[in-house]
Amino acid sequence: MSTNSTNPNAPSEQERLQQARASFSGRLLSNPQFDEAVTITRILEREILRSGAFKEKLADYAHAYARTENFDTAKAETILRDLFRSRTGRSMNQLREELVAREEALPQEAGQQALEHALGVGEMIETGDKITFHRAFAHQGEALARSLGITDAAAKRLMREEFQAAEQADLYEWGKHLEEEFYRPQIEAERAEAEARRQENGASGTSRSRTARRTRQGSGDSGSAGAAGESATRSSYTRAARDTGAGDSMKQDSDGPPPRYQRRSRMSYDR
C-alpha cells in the first residue's frame, strides 16, 4: 500500500511517477532501467512500512541494481533515493521518522483496535481455508498498521501486549494451539485425498498396462500362427516342386538323350 493514501490531497501515483521520470536521476535512465528502479523503490517502501528499517535492504538492492548497469553501487543508491523521494514525496528516512512519531502518539482507542485484530487472528484460523498462524498474524498486523499509520512490527507488538492484558495468555501460543486444532486437520485431509488419488491413478495405470500387454500377446500369437501356416504352405510347395523335379529327371534317364543327341550318335556310328 502506498504511503500517499494517508493524505487525500497528495498527488496520485501516476503524477508522482511522471515527476520521478522528469527528475534529474530519472532523465538519465532508459525505460527498462527506470521501471526496475521504481520497482525497487516500492520494495524499499514496503520494507519501511513493515519493519521501520531500510538501510540494509537499500544497500543490497543498490548493489544488485548496479551489477547489470554502467554505474557503481553508490550511484545506484543515489538514483534509488532520488526516485523514492520523487515518487512518495518524502525521503526514506522521513517516512521512517513519521512512522515512529505516530507510534509514540497512539490514541487511547488503539489498544481496543489491537485487541480486536488479535482476536481476528483466531477467527481467520478457525474459519479460513488452511490459514496458518503466521499468515493470519501478518495479515491482521498489516491491517492494524495501515489503520494506525505505524509499522507492521509495531502493530504486532501492540496486538500481543493487548491480548496478554485482556486474556492473560500469550498470543503466539494461543494461535499455535488453534493452528493445531483447525489448520493441521485440513492439511492432513488434503494429504489423504492426494494419496488416495495417487493410488487410484496408479491402479488405473496398472490395469491399462495389463490390458495392453494382453493385447500385444494376442497379436503376437496370431502373427505366429499366421507365420507357421505360411511356412507350412511354403514347405508343401517346396516338397511338391522337388518331387516333380525328381520325376522329370527319372523320365529323362529312362527315355535316353534328346533326339538331336541320338542323331549325332547314329552318325558317329555309321562312320
Side-chain angles (χ1 to χ4, degrees):
M1 180 182 295
S2 174
T3 55
N4 293 332
S5 60
T6 60
N7 184 1
N9 297 322
S12 65
E13 176 73 6
Q14 187 60 36
E15 293 172 339
R16 289 290 188 185
L17 286 176
Q18 292 175 358
Q19 294 175 7
R21 193 69 175 103
S23 66
F24 177 77
S25 294
R27 291 195 305 267
L28 300 176
L29 303 176
S30 65
N31 287 337
Q33 289 174 332
F34 177 76
D35 292 341
E36 185 175 355
V38 168
T39 299
I40 295 174
T41 63
R42 289 195 174 101
I43 295 173
L44 295 172
E45 180 185 12
R46 186 66 190 88
E47 178 62 21
I48 296 171
L49 293 175
R50 186 187 70 84
S51 65
F54 65 89
K55 290 186 177 180
E56 183 175 346
K57 185 155 286 191
L58 172 61
D60 291 341
Y61 274 93
H63 177 69
Y65 184 44
R67 286 181 61 186
T68 58
E69 306 300 339
N70 295 323
F71 40 74
D72 57 21
T73 301
K75 184 175 181 179
E77 183 172 327
T78 299
I79 291 173
L80 295 175
R81 285 180 178 272
D82 290 345
L83 293 183
F84 186 97
R85 181 189 292 273
S86 298
R87 191 182 67 79
T88 64
R90 58 179 72 85
S91 68
M92 298 180 193
N93 193 56
Q94 286 174 337
L95 175 57
R96 183 192 65 80
E97 291 175 347
E98 289 177 6
L99 295 168
V100 172
R102 293 194 193 99
E103 181 183 354
E104 294 175 349
L106 287 175
Q108 293 182 352
E109 59 270 17
Q112 182 61 34
Q113 293 182 42
L115 179 59
E116 292 175 357
H117 281 278
L119 296 175
V121 172
E123 183 178 356
M124 287 184 64
I125 298 173
E126 290 184 30
T127 62
D129 182 19
K130 295 181 284 293
I131 303 295
T132 63
F133 168 75
H134 174 76
R135 179 180 171 186
F137 190 33
H139 176 84
Q140 292 293 338
E142 181 182 356
L144 178 63
R146 299 296 82 80
S147 175
L148 298 177
I150 60 178
T151 64
D152 296 6
K156 289 179 178 180
R157 183 166 55 251
L158 185 59
M159 288 166 58
R160 295 188 68 168
E161 291 174 355
E162 293 299 324
F163 186 86
Q164 178 69 40
E167 303 294 334
Q168 300 299 310
D170 182 72
L171 177 60
Y172 179 83
E173 293 180 358
W174 174 70
K176 280 297 183 179
H177 175 76
L178 292 177
E179 183 178 286
E180 290 296 323
E181 183 178 356
F182 295 98
Y183 166 76
R184 189 65 57 189
Q186 295 180 54
I187 293 299
E188 295 299 333
E190 185 179 54
R191 290 175 178 171
E193 291 176 1
E195 181 63 26
R197 286 194 299 269
R198 282 194 296 269
Q199 292 180 357
E200 182 179 354
N201 293 336
S204 299
T206 303
S207 178
R208 288 193 296 268
S209 299
R210 291 174 178 173
T211 302
R213 284 199 298 270
R214 287 196 295 268
T215 302
R216 288 194 298 269
Q217 291 174 357
S219 300
D221 294 341
S222 299
S224 299
E230 184 178 355
S231 178
T233 302
R234 285 199 300 268
S235 298
S236 62
Y237 286 146
T238 302
R239 287 194 299 272
R242 189 166 54 248
D243 295 342
T244 302
D248 293 342
S249 177
M250 292 173 64
K251 184 176 181 181
Q252 291 178 4
D253 293 342
S254 60
D255 294 342
R260 61 178 181 173
Y261 290 118
Q262 291 179 356
R263 286 196 297 271
R264 185 177 295 176
S265 299
R266 284 195 299 270
M267 291 173 60
S268 299
Y269 178 79
D270 293 340
R271 290 179 187 159

